[in-house]
Amino acid sequence: MFRGSMVALVTPMNEDESVDYAALERLLEWHIQSGTQAIVAVGTTGESATLDMKEHCDVIRFVVERVNKRIPVIAGTGANSTTEAIQLTQCAKQVGADACLLVTPYYNKPTQEGLYLHHKKIAEAVDIPQILYNVPGRTACDMQPETIGRLAKVANIVGVKEATGDLSRVSKILELVDADFDLYTGDDATAVEFILLGGHGGISVTANVAPDLVAQAYNAALAGDADKTRQLDSPLMELHQKLFVEANPIPVKWAMAEMGLIKPAIRLPLTPLSEPYHDIVRGALIHAGVLS
């Protein structure tokens, strides 16, 4: 359903930690003009864990209204409570999101059967396309390819964001799902290789600072041009790595503030990028050509 570069958009904030809607609107326009092919609002990078339910829904509504069907909007609506995830997913449907991205339940460490029943119940409760999101480095929970294969049979579960960085999972998942089930990567460092192996796109942190370059690299990968893909991705490799020197979205929000895109604000318990990393992240921005 969705292809190419999908930005895991930050939620810009003011100094008092309120959402900076003016900056958010500017970012949306920039991404649309830069070739980003979908907006993922209020995911991990959008600080979903520290927005309350009302803020969460308000940001999704704002993004949907401002994008105005020009590109798809995918709303992050996952939670470690099945009931809460249903409520967030219902909100996303009501405000007009094109799909939802649902992270595996974090902290409570469900079994594979628990993951299956959790996502199945949400899909049956809310009639909107849903994308599974597997990121065990943050959730202490790893959805196995076999569980993804089971869930792919649920009508409105349409894809998975696989953020393990394990490229062997591409072929494993493809063997277990139908041709209309989409595979997206959530690991910037291996994203183009993931797409070249048969993936359909990536939900990218790096796209927050280099949307046009990421879109070009992903489009080349979708076209199967491996040489062009790697050539385009090469200047971005430092960013793919250095934007994770501290927990996401700490480095990327600092980088965007350095570029003048947003204010240098982030919500506790996250804190601004530690000073020893400033030159490291700045150097990666310069290397990629997005900061002089």
Side-chain angles (χ1 to χ4, degrees):
M1 294 185 65
F2 312 105
R3 292 290 186 274
S5 176
M6 295 165 274
V7 63
L9 192 67
V10 302
T11 301
M13 295 176 180
N14 297 303
E15 287 81 358
D16 64 359
E17 296 189 358
S18 62
V19 176
D20 184 348
Y21 284 102
L24 180 55
E25 184 165 15
R26 290 194 298 272
L27 291 178
L28 294 171
E29 294 301 322
W30 184 48
H31 278 286
I32 291 168
Q33 296 302 317
S34 299
T36 296
Q37 287 153 298
I39 302 290
V40 177
V42 205
T44 304
T45 311
E47 293 176 78
S48 57
T50 54
L51 268 63
D52 64 32
M53 184 78 75
K54 182 180 184 303
E55 288 176 316
H56 202 122
C57 293
D58 286 347
V59 170
I60 296 168
R61 180 184 294 106
F62 183 89
V63 172
V64 169
E65 290 174 352
R66 294 309 188 275
V67 170
N68 194 25
K69 300 296 182 183
R70 288 176 287 175
I71 59 176
V73 174
I74 302 167
T77 60
N80 60 351
S81 159
T82 306
T83 300
E84 183 177 333
I86 290 172
Q87 291 170 346
L88 287 169
T89 305
Q90 288 171 332
C91 169
K93 177 178 171 61
Q94 289 166 3
V95 302
D98 296 285
C100 291
L101 177 70
L102 291 117
V103 70
T104 53
Y106 42 86
Y107 188 76
N108 45 24
K109 301 176 74 172
T111 63
Q112 294 300 305
E113 183 65 14
L115 290 176
Y116 172 75
L117 293 172
H118 169 82
H119 284 286
K120 181 173 181 285
K121 186 169 184 176
I122 299 165
E124 291 173 347
V126 191
D127 184 18
I128 188 173
Q130 298 180 24
I131 300 167
L132 310 170
Y133 177 14
N134 187 41
V135 57
R138 296 195 73 126
T139 62
C141 171
D142 187 1
M143 183 182 287
Q144 296 298 305
E146 293 76 15
T147 304
I148 295 170
R150 291 178 70 195
L151 285 167
K153 294 177 175 61
V154 179
N156 56 323
I157 294 180
V158 300
V160 62
K161 175 185 176 183
E162 237 297 325
T164 60
D166 180 359
L167 293 174
S168 70
R169 291 206 175 186
V170 180
S171 60
K172 290 176 184 176
I173 296 170
L174 286 173
E175 290 173 0
L176 296 166
V177 300
D178 292 336
D180 60 353
F181 188 83
D182 290 337
L183 274 65
Y184 311 118
T185 179
D187 182 66
D188 281 288
T190 58
V192 295
E193 300 302 328
F194 183 102
I195 298 170
L196 287 168
L197 287 169
H200 302 99
I203 297 175
S204 170
V205 175
T206 302
N208 278 284
V209 296
D212 52 345
L213 300 175
V214 172
Q216 290 173 39
Y218 287 13
N219 287 338
L222 285 169
D225 190 335
D227 289 340
K228 183 178 179 181
T229 296
R230 291 168 184 143
Q231 182 181 11
L232 289 167
D233 191 54
S234 180
L236 298 172
M237 282 305 299
E238 280 195 40
L239 275 177
H240 298 333
Q241 297 164 359
K242 306 310 181 189
L243 289 179
F244 296 91
V245 291
E246 288 188 327
N248 179 47
I250 290 172
V252 73
K253 290 195 89 173
W254 182 91
M256 294 174 75
E258 189 76 357
M259 294 170 66
L261 297 171
I262 62 172
K263 296 168 185 171
I266 195 164
R267 271 194 191 174
L268 287 171
L270 300 180
T271 52
L273 185 68
S274 302
E275 195 279 333
Y277 294 119
H278 289 189
D279 286 344
I280 292 172
V281 176
R282 187 183 294 112
L285 293 169
I286 293 169
H287 182 77
V290 297
L291 185 70
S292 56

